[in-house]
Amino acid sequence: MFRSVAHAAAFALIAVPRFVRADCECGYSLKSDNDFAVFTDLIETDFLHASGENLTEYGWRPQEYDVPAPTSRGPLGKRFRVDNLVPNPLKNETGWTGESELGGEAGLQLWVRADNISSGFISGSEMAHVRDDFRHGSYRVGMKLAGENGTCGAFFYFHSDAQEIDLEFLSKEYTNNGGAVNLVLQTPESVASGYDASNTSAYKVKELPFRPDDMFHEYRFDWYSDKVIFYVDGKVLHEMTEDIPVEGGRLFMNHWSNGDPKWSAGPPEKDTAVVVSYVKAYFNSTQEARFDAHRERCPTYDPAKVCAIPAQTVAPDGDAAGTYFFSKDEATEKTPGQIMYKGAASSSFLASTTLLTLLPLFAALFSSAFSL
Ligand SMILES: *[C@@H]1O[C@H](CO)[C@@H](O)[C@H](O)[C@H]1NC(C)=O
Ligand SMILES: *[C@@H]1O[C@H](CO)[C@@H](O)[C@H](O)[C@H]1NC(C)=O
Ligand SMILES: *[C@@H]1O[C@H](CO)[C@@H](O)[C@H](O)[C@H]1NC(C)=O
Ligand SMILES: *[C@@H]1O[C@H](CO)[C@@H](O)[C@H](O)[C@H]1NC(C)=O
Ligand SMILES: *[C@@H]1O[C@H](CO)[C@@H](O)[C@H](O)[C@H]1NC(C)=O
Ligand SMILES: *[C@@H]1O[C@H](CO)[C@@H](O)[C@H](O)[C@H]1NC(C)=O
């Protein structure tokens, strides 16, 4: 069996010279003062280099549907449109700064449109990850919020209206030099009070010492079985310990307005966009098949085969925009057995690989094949 694995690897290496050995077979670990957790799965999307028309190749499905008023819970309906999601990658396919294809801030744009209100709808944007098996894990987004008053930008896990973990930014709450983020766990209790989480323990408005539309920051939530911890740029913002969701679900991002003066406000006076530079999730799946795959590559827990998830401790903007992706690591394969989407390292690795660097790879491969 080992011999045939080595043989298959040799064949793969000749066909697609990539990596000789892998790391992270036993998962990705998260360590803080009080917690240590290991997760089996990852998804990573680099929107600074995501180009083309079809976001689904990157794992994200743009949504297209209408929610008319008053079901929208506002005076106007919500109209989610595929063409309000606009990829705007950097021109430089390997660099992290410089000009973008369409001009302005590089990243995926999620637009809310100011026109067409007479239709009774405000046109906005939403995307959902193609996977629906996200459960406990660390969920991270690099984004710059929209500047126009009257929209809500959100990053969230969703199972149902009663099981949801939400980071919601209301541009009406921004001040001269500060902002706020609404942290929400939708619970059976908030459903019972007409989707108003504001009187439940699972709702918290946290002030931010910066305007979220000034630059990119990393917003994050770590979901454990007994708590959810929210972070900004690696610093703890808030912790919730009640009504923690238990079911798996999807990851979403959206940007919308329905004119509700008590929430999104608006409509905005001008078209306005949230810009997303990345989404990263290190998590345990709800799928038995994913646990089987993990058991297969990690039959006995080996700490040497666990990779520590780096903390993003500064705003991922400007010179710090180039953040770490396991899926782009060119030294060793760090995503063995993971479900991968467009944008991982292989093609750029190949393009930048010379014969000189390939030779030692072949030598290493054949010596390990012979020793088996
Ligand atoms: C995730 O799943 C792995 C494999 O079953 C398990 O060892 C680990 O404890 C789980 N992590 C959490 C935080 O539940
Ligand atoms: C977009 O990509 C997905 C996933 O690769 C594929 O299933 C779908 O057919 C593509 N859509 C178009 C319009 O090409
Ligand atoms: C693109 O980025 C790479 C890596 O930072 C850099 O070496 C290269 O000079 C850049 N190319 C251009 C055209 O700016
Ligand atoms: C504008 O409204 C019309 C009529 O309701 C609708 O067909 C069209 O899709 C809307 N355009 C946008 C960008 O939402
Ligand atoms: C946004 O507009 C609302 C009224 O629609 C107003 O109450 C609020 O103060 C405004 N916020 C900012 C940041 O201008
Ligand atoms: C929430 O609490 C406030 C103040 O205690 C009250 O005025 C309001 O009606 C409550 N909202 C709901 C939905 O219960």
Side-chain angles (χ1 to χ4, degrees), residues 6-292:
H7 184 77
F11 182 79
L13 188 68
I14 289 158
V16 183
R18 198 176 167 203
F19 300 108
V20 174
R21 58 182 204 91
D23 279 330
C24 322
E25 290 92 341
C26 288
Y28 305 91
S29 68
L30 196 59
K31 193 175 176 336
S32 68
D33 293 346
N34 305 314
D35 302 290
F36 180 77
V38 177
F39 302 110
T40 62
D41 279 50
L42 71 70
I43 58 133
E44 293 180 327
T45 316
D46 167 19
F47 287 110
L48 292 180
H49 299 99
S51 56
E53 299 287 303
N54 191 348
L55 277 176
T56 308
E57 292 176 352
Y58 293 90
W60 293 91
R61 198 170 282 136
Q63 305 291 298
E64 176 124 351
Y65 65 98
D66 287 354
V67 187
T71 313
S72 67
R73 298 180 219 133
L76 291 159
K78 298 191 279 191
R79 167 161 282 163
F80 292 107
R81 283 294 174 267
V82 168
D83 55 13
N84 286 334
L85 289 137
V86 181
N88 181 25
L90 289 164
K91 285 185 177 169
N92 189 335
E93 288 176 18
T94 56
W96 295 97
T97 54
E99 287 178 23
S100 63
E101 291 288 348
L102 305 176
E105 213 73 73
L108 177 69
Q109 302 168 340
L110 276 69
W111 287 95
V112 168
R113 304 295 179 185
D115 57 0
N116 222 19
I117 304 300
S118 59
S119 64
F121 288 88
I122 302 174
S123 183
S125 44
E126 178 169 283
M127 63 180 183
H129 200 272
V130 298
R131 287 181 68 169
D132 63 357
D133 60 334
F134 296 98
R135 205 152 73 129
H136 305 140
S138 184
Y139 296 90
R140 305 166 178 208
V141 60
M143 70 176 163
K144 180 172 169 174
L145 276 300
E148 284 295 310
N149 190 352
T151 72
C152 174
F155 174 61
F156 57 106
Y157 137 87
F158 177 90
H159 169 73
S160 69
D161 286 331
Q163 292 197 44
E164 190 174 323
I165 303 171
D166 249 308
L167 283 144
E168 298 192 60
F169 295 82
L170 307 177
S171 52
K172 72 169 188 190
E173 295 177 335
Y174 303 165
T175 61
N176 283 346
N177 47 21
V181 55
N182 294 261
L183 309 173
V184 191
L185 302 187
Q186 294 292 359
T187 63
E189 207 184 342
S190 60
V191 173
S193 60
Y195 299 100
D196 185 351
S198 56
N199 286 1
T200 72
S201 64
Y203 174 69
K204 188 78 185 173
V205 186
K206 293 296 285 189
E207 285 180 9
L208 299 171
F210 54 79
R211 279 190 63 125
D213 58 331
D214 265 356
M215 62 196 277
F216 289 87
H217 290 275
E218 184 186 86
Y219 304 98
R220 160 180 160 195
F221 61 89
D222 291 356
W223 170 18
Y224 299 93
S225 56
D226 58 347
K227 66 186 154 206
V228 175
I229 309 176
F230 296 92
Y231 294 80
V232 176
D233 297 330
K235 285 176 214 60
V236 174
L237 191 62
H238 189 63
E239 180 173 321
M240 293 182 184
T241 54
E242 286 172 43
D243 297 310
I244 306 305
V246 294
E247 305 284 348
R250 270 185 214 282
L251 271 188
F252 282 80
M253 295 201 66
N254 65 18
H255 186 207
W256 56 274
S257 177
N258 62 357
D260 175 5
K262 285 159 75 184
W263 194 252
S264 74
E269 280 174 14
K270 287 193 291 205
D271 288 7
T272 186
V274 168
V275 186
V276 184
S277 56
Y278 63 80
V279 175
K280 302 172 184 175
Y282 310 96
F283 63 101
N284 274 359
S285 164
T286 53
Q287 300 293 319
E288 201 51 47
R290 299 301 303 149
F291 282 104
D292 291 346

